[in-house]
Every structure is written in C-alpha cells, then in structure tokens.
Amino acid sequence: MDNTSTQNDLEAVETEPRRVVVLLSGGGTNLQALIDAQSHDELGGEIVAVISNQPEAMGLQRARDAGIDAVVLPHREYDNRDAFDGALIKVIERHEPDLVVLAGFMRILTPRFVQRFLGRLINIHPSLLPAYQGLHTHARALADGVAEHGCSVHFVTEELDGGPSIIQAVVNVSVDDNEDSLKARVLDREHLIFPIAVRWLLEGRVRLVGDHATIDGVTLPSIGMRLSHEDAAEELDEGS
C-alpha cells in the first residue's frame, strides 16, 4: 500500500474553512472580538470580508489591519433602500459566505435581503430581547429602572430585532449606573457571546428551524441560551 498516495488523498478532501462576511457601520469592536477569536482558532471559520455603508467606519481599518478584505458600499449613493440592498446582496454573494454577521450595521434590511440569507444571518443587539427592540436600549432600561439588562445574539428575520435568540448575557443594573457605564459592561458581554454564537453556527450546532432556534437538534426557548450575570462576570474576570 502506498502511504504517500493515501496521505495525499486525505489532504485533497480536507474542507475549506467556513466563510463569514461581517457588516458594520461604526467602530467595529464586535468585529475585533471575532478577529481575536479567529486568531486563536476559536471562531470555527474565517472572516473573508467586512462591508460597511459608512466609508469612515473604524471597523474597516480593523479589517485591513487583520488582512481582511474591506469593502465600502455607501448607502447614500443609491436611490432607495431596495436598490442598496440589491447591491449589497451582490457584494456579499461574491464572497460566498456560509454566515452573514451584523456587527453594528445601522440599516433596516428589506424583506428581500433577509429572505436571501435567512438562517445564515445573525445580529447582536444590546438588550435582553424581546425587551428594548430598536435604538437607545441602555437609556430606556435605566428609565424603566430594570434590575437586569444585557445583550442578545439572534437570527435576523423580517421583524426588526424579532428573530429568535441564540444566546444572551445578563448584566445586573446598579443604582450607580449611568448610560455610559451600563453600555460599557453590556459591550463586554457582547464581545464574550458573539464569537460563541458564530462558532456554534459555523459548526452546524445552531440552526433556524421554522421560527425557532435549535442547538444540537434541541429547540431553544425564545431567549436562547442565557448566561447569568455571575457567569458572565466570571468569564470576564470582573471584580464584583
């Protein structure tokens, strides 16, 4: 038996890394969390492109620094939302992604776009969904005097911030919190759970089945897996 031939055959059937495209509009700290996970072989795939509708987005520079294709697609150059989303679909599909990740992409997507990538399109949102869909989540949570706040990674559906959650992380709200302090602690939790959710999806563990998320074939509750404040604080090595 020719061992060399056998080894070459095995190498030939090795699969390519799963491909991720990230969309963003701003600073890209969640992108950086994904890049860091990838650099430690903890992402389960490869970020092949970062696309932004804002030419000055810091996230584009983070991509360039990591050797990732950085693409600018200014939405203001298109007549309407549908025209922009059509162009965005073409740019994304050029990179043949297995997963499309919204990491602070400040655009409301058309049903056409959502349906094109349904089941392989996820978003991170700064609240414990379904609470505080939309914008200004931290200010609204503080105004309501809630005891717990946090973040969610969820599948994107046609309902804004309405798709089933995959994973959430809780932060206890302190009487001393203001919008900036709460935002900072929630952001730390975003950086913690986002790479986990991406890895689960790239490994095929998490799927969108109908209007529910499943993990390892088991249907998740609408809030997904939830990481408690204490568990998140331990993972983040927070003082208290």
Side-chain angles (χ1 to χ4, degrees), residues 123-127 129 131-134 137 150-154 161 190:
N123 178 52
I124 188 152
H125 183 76
S127 79
L129 292 172
Y132 307 116
Q133 296 167 319
T137 61
C151 54
S152 309
V153 181
H154 66 98
D161 299 327
E190 293 179 32

Side-chain angles (χ1 to χ4, degrees), residues 19-23 47-51 92 95 97 99-102:
R19 299 167 66 84
V20 180
V21 169
V22 179
L23 310 185
I47 303 167
V48 295
V50 173
I51 305 169
I92 292 171
H95 295 276
L99 183 65
V100 180
V101 172
L102 308 183

Side-chain angles (χ1 to χ4, degrees), residues 199-229:
R199 184 174 71 247
W200 285 347
L201 279 145
L202 294 179
E203 291 175 346
R205 295 187 61 196
V206 167
R207 300 179 185 276
L208 179 65
V209 180
D211 57 357
H212 291 88
T214 67
I215 185 166
D216 301 331
V218 177
T219 299
L220 288 167
S222 61
I223 61 171
M225 305 280 280
R226 178 171 280 192
L227 200 61
S228 70
H229 171 88

Side-chain angles (χ1 to χ4, degrees), residues 150-178:
C151 54
S152 309
V153 181
H154 66 98
F155 281 107
V156 176
T157 61
E158 292 185 24
E159 179 187 354
L160 178 65
D161 299 327
S165 290
I166 299 164
I167 185 171
Q168 299 184 333
V170 175
V171 60
N172 292 341
V173 180
S174 165
V175 293
D176 299 323
D177 268 320
N178 56 36

Side-chain angles (χ1 to χ4, degrees), residues 139-152:
R140 290 157 63 196
L142 288 170
D144 286 347
V146 297
E148 290 185 337
H149 190 42
C151 54
S152 309

